[in-house]
Amino acid sequence: MIDLHTHSTHSDGLLQPAALVERAAARGVKVLALTDHDETAGLAEARARAAELGIVFVNGVEISATWDGHSVHVVGLNVDPGNPDLAAGLEWLRAGRRRRAESIAAELDKVGIGGSLEGALAHAANPALLGRTHFARYLVERGYASDVAAVFRRYLVAGKPGYVPHQWADLEQAVGWITAAGGIAVLAHPGRYRLDEAKRDALFAAFKQAGGLGVEVVTGSHHADQYPLYARCAQRFGLLASCGSDFHGPEEGRRELGALPQLPAGCTPVWTRW
Ligand code: AMP
Ligand code: MN
Ligand code: MN
Ligand code: MN
């Protein structure tokens, strides 16, 4: 049981790293990566608890990137969080998040939703890493939507109140920082990006060109009918296959820890590299 994509309170997850590891272990996970957005501060705590519980821990991160105007995520696995290139890149991304958060709050102000910067910060255990999920939790708290998923249908996305376009890292930067830190760059949940087939193939080609080595095939963000589709993409582009729940918390799950199916036959798993 392998889960290579999870979040803690150091980004927009709801469990502290140690509690996340405990939940994963209790649900039968044997190999776990913590992959907080643009942040590695939770890795030491998670690694220590994983050692106590006898599960294999993989240092991870999920880097926010922009490719051809689309927001895409790149997971880094087995990264050295002390690498200066990676650390500086992530710090730059977090600073951009803070500026974006101020703009999001200003946009929400325009539709009569006040106090959202403070409100989002109250939901962020790590004030250095502010994301839309923290705003979403504030909007739920204030009764603007019934849950976080409902917020993302009505706010914070293109064309809706509270949306702010943002320039993240280039694909080349995101992959480069991961590679510099000794890690394997994995394209996260490709099925979530709204791309037609030609654009999707162009993204895969650009990712590969930038030095990307893997792609998430089985993820909590994919429907079951997308697993074989992205398994074929992995094979066509010569990419290793990864799997991860993208777990954020017990109450906000798309997918629970330790509940993913096996990779489809024919995939070369990313963990064959370690
Ligand atoms: P950010 O990186 O701050 O732009 O926020 C992206 C995060 O918002 C993702 O990692 C998810 O945790 C969350 N998110 C985005 N879209 C949705 C959605 N439709 N439903 C629930 N959470 C979402
Ligand atoms: Mn998230
Ligand atoms: Mn993601
Ligand atoms: Mn994620």
Side-chain angles (χ1 to χ4, degrees):
M1 189 65 77
I2 295 176
D3 192 330
L4 300 177
H5 188 149
T6 66
H7 295 275
S8 78
T9 47
H10 286 271
S11 63
D12 57 359
L14 290 167
L15 299 181
Q16 292 185 6
L20 175 81
V21 172
E22 285 159 22
R23 188 179 182 92
R27 302 187 73 88
V29 174
K30 305 291 185 218
V31 181
L32 177 73
L34 174 63
T35 56
D36 277 313
H37 298 285
D38 308 327
E39 176 64 279
T40 57
L43 295 178
E45 179 185 319
R47 174 169 291 282
R49 193 72 186 109
E52 288 167 359
L53 295 174
I55 72 175
V56 175
F57 183 73
V58 175
N59 282 341
V61 64
E62 182 175 17
I63 299 185
S64 309
T66 304
W67 172 77
D68 195 35
H70 299 272
S71 287
V72 301
H73 288 170
V74 182
V75 163
L77 297 176
N78 261 326
V79 291
D80 168 12
N83 176 270
D85 289 356
L86 177 65
L90 299 183
E91 196 177 323
W92 173 77
L93 280 169
R94 292 191 297 268
R97 281 180 169 278
R98 176 66 195 210
R99 290 191 297 275
R100 181 186 68 149
E102 287 162 9
S103 303
I104 290 174
E107 290 300 310
L108 289 173
D109 266 331
K110 288 182 191 166
V111 295
I113 301 174
S116 67
L117 185 60
E118 298 71 22
L121 277 165
H123 285 276
N126 176 7
L129 196 291
L130 259 186
R132 285 184 294 162
T133 311
H134 305 113
F135 282 90
R137 291 181 187 139
Y138 171 71
L139 293 178
V140 171
E141 175 197 322
R142 294 293 308 274
Y144 290 103
S146 55
D147 58 28
V148 164
V151 172
F152 280 100
R153 288 192 288 272
R154 289 167 48 204
Y155 300 93
L156 308 178
V157 294
K160 309 283 169 153
Y163 176 67
V164 173
H166 190 70
Q167 184 69 35
W168 303 101
D170 296 338
L171 206 49
E172 292 73 17
Q173 288 177 308
V175 173
W177 299 333
I178 290 166
T179 308
I184 294 177
V186 174
L187 183 64
H189 45 60
R192 275 184 58 174
Y193 313 134
R194 291 179 187 189
L195 303 172
D196 63 25
E197 263 180 55
K199 276 279 177 186
R200 181 200 65 203
D201 281 5
L203 169 61
F204 272 74
F207 180 70
K208 179 92 183 169
Q209 176 74 30
L213 293 176
V215 59
E216 288 184 344
V217 170
V218 171
T219 134
S221 297
H222 284 171
H223 301 292
D225 57 359
Q226 291 175 309
Y227 303 156
L229 173 71
Y230 289 103
R232 273 199 308 280
C233 284
Q235 285 163 344
R236 278 175 48 223
F237 287 89
L239 293 168
L240 302 163
S242 190
C243 73
S245 59
D246 210 352
F247 178 80
H248 281 70
E251 303 94 43
E252 268 178 31
R254 299 182 201 107
R255 201 58 92 113
E256 188 41 271
L257 295 161
L260 291 174
Q262 303 283 314
L263 287 172
C267 289
T268 306
V270 66
W271 51 89
T272 57
R273 279 301 191 92
W274 60 72

mmCIF file of all heavy atoms in Angstrom, residues 18-40:
data_model
loop_
_atom_site.group_PDB
_atom_site.id
_atom_site.type_symbol
_atom_site.label_atom_id
_atom_site.label_comp_id
_atom_site.label_asym_id
_atom_site.label_seq_id
_atom_site.Cartn_x
_atom_site.Cartn_y
_atom_site.Cartn_z
ATOM 1 N N ALA A 18 2.401 14.433 12.137
ATOM 2 C CA ALA A 18 2.436 13.189 12.928
ATOM 3 C C ALA A 18 1.077 12.494 12.882
ATOM 4 O O ALA A 18 0.995 11.266 12.754
ATOM 5 C CB ALA A 18 2.845 13.490 14.371
ATOM 6 N N ALA A 19 0.003 13.273 12.980
ATOM 7 C CA ALA A 19 -1.346 12.685 12.955
ATOM 8 C C ALA A 19 -1.655 12.094 11.581
ATOM 9 O O ALA A 19 -2.323 11.052 11.475
ATOM 10 C CB ALA A 19 -2.376 13.751 13.329
ATOM 11 N N LEU A 20 -1.176 12.741 10.544
ATOM 12 C CA LEU A 20 -1.359 12.205 9.186
ATOM 13 C C LEU A 20 -0.679 10.843 9.057
ATOM 14 O O LEU A 20 -1.265 9.877 8.547
ATOM 15 C CB LEU A 20 -0.772 13.190 8.162
ATOM 16 C CG LEU A 20 -0.794 12.701 6.715
ATOM 17 C CD1 LEU A 20 -2.166 12.913 6.090
ATOM 18 C CD2 LEU A 20 0.264 13.413 5.873
ATOM 19 N N VAL A 21 0.557 10.761 9.546
ATOM 20 C CA VAL A 21 1.315 9.507 9.464
ATOM 21 C C VAL A 21 0.601 8.419 10.277
ATOM 22 O O VAL A 21 0.487 7.271 9.841
ATOM 23 C CB VAL A 21 2.760 9.725 9.954
ATOM 24 C CG1 VAL A 21 3.504 8.401 10.064
ATOM 25 C CG2 VAL A 21 3.496 10.681 9.014
ATOM 26 N N GLU A 22 0.106 8.781 11.455
ATOM 27 C CA GLU A 22 -0.614 7.802 12.285
ATOM 28 C C GLU A 22 -1.850 7.280 11.559
ATOM 29 O O GLU A 22 -2.130 6.079 11.564
ATOM 30 C CB GLU A 22 -1.030 8.458 13.619
ATOM 31 C CG GLU A 22 0.142 8.638 14.571
ATOM 32 C CD GLU A 22 -0.121 9.701 15.635
ATOM 33 O OE1 GLU A 22 -1.302 10.004 15.919
ATOM 34 O OE2 GLU A 22 0.874 10.231 16.167
ATOM 35 N N ARG A 23 -2.588 8.176 10.935
ATOM 36 C CA ARG A 23 -3.790 7.745 10.215
ATOM 37 C C ARG A 23 -3.422 6.846 9.033
ATOM 38 O O ARG A 23 -4.078 5.835 8.787
ATOM 39 C CB ARG A 23 -4.564 8.981 9.733
ATOM 40 C CG ARG A 23 -5.927 8.638 9.140
ATOM 41 C CD ARG A 23 -6.652 9.905 8.694
ATOM 42 N NE ARG A 23 -7.979 9.608 8.175
ATOM 43 C CZ ARG A 23 -9.093 9.610 8.894
ATOM 44 N NH1 ARG A 23 -9.054 9.890 10.185
ATOM 45 N NH2 ARG A 23 -10.258 9.320 8.336
ATOM 46 N N ALA A 24 -2.366 7.214 8.330
ATOM 47 C CA ALA A 24 -1.927 6.402 7.190
ATOM 48 C C ALA A 24 -1.523 5.000 7.668
ATOM 49 O O ALA A 24 -1.934 3.988 7.085
ATOM 50 C CB ALA A 24 -0.764 7.084 6.475
ATOM 51 N N ALA A 25 -0.742 4.945 8.734
ATOM 52 C CA ALA A 25 -0.283 3.645 9.245
ATOM 53 C C ALA A 25 -1.477 2.794 9.667
ATOM 54 O O ALA A 25 -1.541 1.598 9.368
ATOM 55 C CB ALA A 25 0.680 3.852 10.411
ATOM 56 N N ALA A 26 -2.437 3.424 10.340
ATOM 57 C CA ALA A 26 -3.616 2.680 10.815
ATOM 58 C C ALA A 26 -4.443 2.152 9.653
ATOM 59 O O ALA A 26 -5.168 1.169 9.800
ATOM 60 C CB ALA A 26 -4.467 3.592 11.706
ATOM 61 N N ARG A 27 -4.344 2.792 8.505
ATOM 62 C CA ARG A 27 -5.120 2.364 7.341
ATOM 63 C C ARG A 27 -4.304 1.484 6.397
ATOM 64 O O ARG A 27 -4.698 1.263 5.259
ATOM 65 C CB ARG A 27 -5.679 3.590 6.615
ATOM 66 C CG ARG A 27 -6.552 4.447 7.540
ATOM 67 C CD ARG A 27 -7.249 5.548 6.811
ATOM 68 N NE ARG A 27 -8.331 5.011 6.011
ATOM 69 C CZ ARG A 27 -9.570 4.811 6.451
ATOM 70 N NH1 ARG A 27 -9.897 5.130 7.688
ATOM 71 N NH2 ARG A 27 -10.474 4.315 5.656
ATOM 72 N N GLY A 28 -3.137 1.042 6.867
ATOM 73 C CA GLY A 28 -2.394 0.029 6.119
ATOM 74 C C GLY A 28 -1.388 0.564 5.125
ATOM 75 O O GLY A 28 -0.819 -0.200 4.340
ATOM 76 N N VAL A 29 -1.142 1.892 5.137
ATOM 77 C CA VAL A 29 -0.146 2.445 4.205
ATOM 78 C C VAL A 29 1.258 2.021 4.673
ATOM 79 O O VAL A 29 1.583 2.140 5.844
ATOM 80 C CB VAL A 29 -0.259 3.985 4.132
ATOM 81 C CG1 VAL A 29 0.859 4.583 3.297
ATOM 82 C CG2 VAL A 29 -1.621 4.389 3.579
ATOM 83 N N LYS A 30 2.056 1.520 3.749
ATOM 84 C CA LYS A 30 3.416 1.060 4.075
ATOM 85 C C LYS A 30 4.480 2.040 3.596
ATOM 86 O O LYS A 30 5.593 2.061 4.112
ATOM 87 C CB LYS A 30 3.692 -0.302 3.420
ATOM 88 C CG LYS A 30 2.679 -1.376 3.761
ATOM 89 C CD LYS A 30 2.775 -1.806 5.212
ATOM 90 C CE LYS A 30 1.838 -2.965 5.501
ATOM 91 N NZ LYS A 30 1.226 -2.839 6.849
ATOM 92 N N VAL A 31 4.164 2.800 2.543
ATOM 93 C CA VAL A 31 5.094 3.798 2.004
ATOM 94 C C VAL A 31 4.301 5.085 1.817
ATOM 95 O O VAL A 31 3.272 5.095 1.128
ATOM 96 C CB VAL A 31 5.690 3.358 0.643
ATOM 97 C CG1 VAL A 31 6.665 4.403 0.119
ATOM 98 C CG2 VAL A 31 6.365 1.998 0.758
ATOM 99 N N LEU A 32 4.766 6.162 2.462
ATOM 100 C CA LEU A 32 3.994 7.409 2.478
ATOM 101 C C LEU A 32 4.881 8.594 2.117
ATOM 102 O O LEU A 32 5.993 8.729 2.638
ATOM 103 C CB LEU A 32 3.422 7.636 3.887
ATOM 104 C CG LEU A 32 2.636 8.938 4.095
ATOM 105 C CD1 LEU A 32 1.281 8.857 3.405
ATOM 106 C CD2 LEU A 32 2.447 9.228 5.581
ATOM 107 N N ALA A 33 4.378 9.468 1.248
ATOM 108 C CA ALA A 33 5.035 10.761 1.014
ATOM 109 C C ALA A 33 4.121 11.866 1.503
ATOM 110 O O ALA A 33 2.906 11.834 1.267
ATOM 111 C CB ALA A 33 5.327 10.952 -0.477
ATOM 112 N N LEU A 34 4.704 12.843 2.196
ATOM 113 C CA LEU A 34 4.002 14.098 2.497
ATOM 114 C C LEU A 34 4.399 15.084 1.403
ATOM 115 O O LEU A 34 5.598 15.295 1.160
ATOM 116 C CB LEU A 34 4.406 14.623 3.878
ATOM 117 C CG LEU A 34 3.855 16.008 4.251
ATOM 118 C CD1 LEU A 34 2.329 16.011 4.320
ATOM 119 C CD2 LEU A 34 4.441 16.474 5.596
ATOM 120 N N THR A 35 3.400 15.681 0.746
ATOM 121 C CA THR A 35 3.667 16.552 -0.411
ATOM 122 C C THR A 35 2.903 17.863 -0.246
ATOM 123 O O THR A 35 1.984 18.162 -1.014
ATOM 124 C CB THR A 35 3.234 15.858 -1.724
ATOM 125 O OG1 THR A 35 1.851 15.491 -1.619
ATOM 126 C CG2 THR A 35 4.066 14.624 -2.021
ATOM 127 N N ASP A 36 3.258 18.632 0.776
ATOM 128 C CA ASP A 36 2.564 19.902 0.986
ATOM 129 C C ASP A 36 2.826 20.859 -0.171
ATOM 130 O O ASP A 36 3.900 20.849 -0.782
ATOM 131 C CB ASP A 36 3.014 20.532 2.311
ATOM 132 C CG ASP A 36 2.242 19.956 3.491
ATOM 133 O OD1 ASP A 36 1.003 19.859 3.390
ATOM 134 O OD2 ASP A 36 2.875 19.616 4.510
ATOM 135 N N HIS A 37 1.839 21.722 -0.446
ATOM 136 C CA HIS A 37 2.005 22.727 -1.497
ATOM 137 C C HIS A 37 3.143 23.685 -1.128
ATOM 138 O O HIS A 37 3.096 24.356 -0.091
ATOM 139 C CB HIS A 37 0.735 23.585 -1.635
ATOM 140 C CG HIS A 37 -0.498 22.824 -2.021
ATOM 141 N ND1 HIS A 37 -0.726 22.370 -3.293
ATOM 142 C CD2 HIS A 37 -1.588 22.459 -1.305
ATOM 143 C CE1 HIS A 37 -1.912 21.772 -3.343
ATOM 144 N NE2 HIS A 37 -2.452 21.802 -2.141
ATOM 145 N N ASP A 38 4.160 23.763 -1.988
ATOM 146 C CA ASP A 38 5.182 24.813 -1.925
ATOM 147 C C ASP A 38 5.832 24.938 -0.539
ATOM 148 O O ASP A 38 6.255 26.034 -0.147
ATOM 149 C CB ASP A 38 4.577 26.175 -2.342
ATOM 150 C CG ASP A 38 3.855 26.098 -3.688
ATOM 151 O OD1 ASP A 38 4.307 25.312 -4.536
ATOM 152 O OD2 ASP A 38 2.843 26.803 -3.873
ATOM 153 N N GLU A 39 5.940 23.824 0.177
ATOM 154 C CA GLU A 39 6.401 23.890 1.579
ATOM 155 C C GLU A 39 6.941 22.525 1.994
ATOM 156 O O GLU A 39 6.339 21.486 1.676
ATOM 157 C CB GLU A 39 5.197 24.296 2.460
ATOM 158 C CG GLU A 39 5.451 24.330 3.962
ATOM 159 C CD GLU A 39 6.473 25.365 4.379
ATOM 160 O OE1 GLU A 39 7.682 25.074 4.250
ATOM 161 O OE2 GLU A 39 6.067 26.458 4.842
ATOM 162 N N THR A 40 8.076 22.542 2.696
ATOM 163 C CA THR A 40 8.658 21.288 3.172
ATOM 164 C C THR A 40 8.783 21.253 4.700
ATOM 165 O O THR A 40 9.381 20.318 5.249
ATOM 166 C CB THR A 40 10.067 21.078 2.560
ATOM 167 O OG1 THR A 40 10.879 22.217 2.892
ATOM 168 C CG2 THR A 40 10.011 20.911 1.047
#
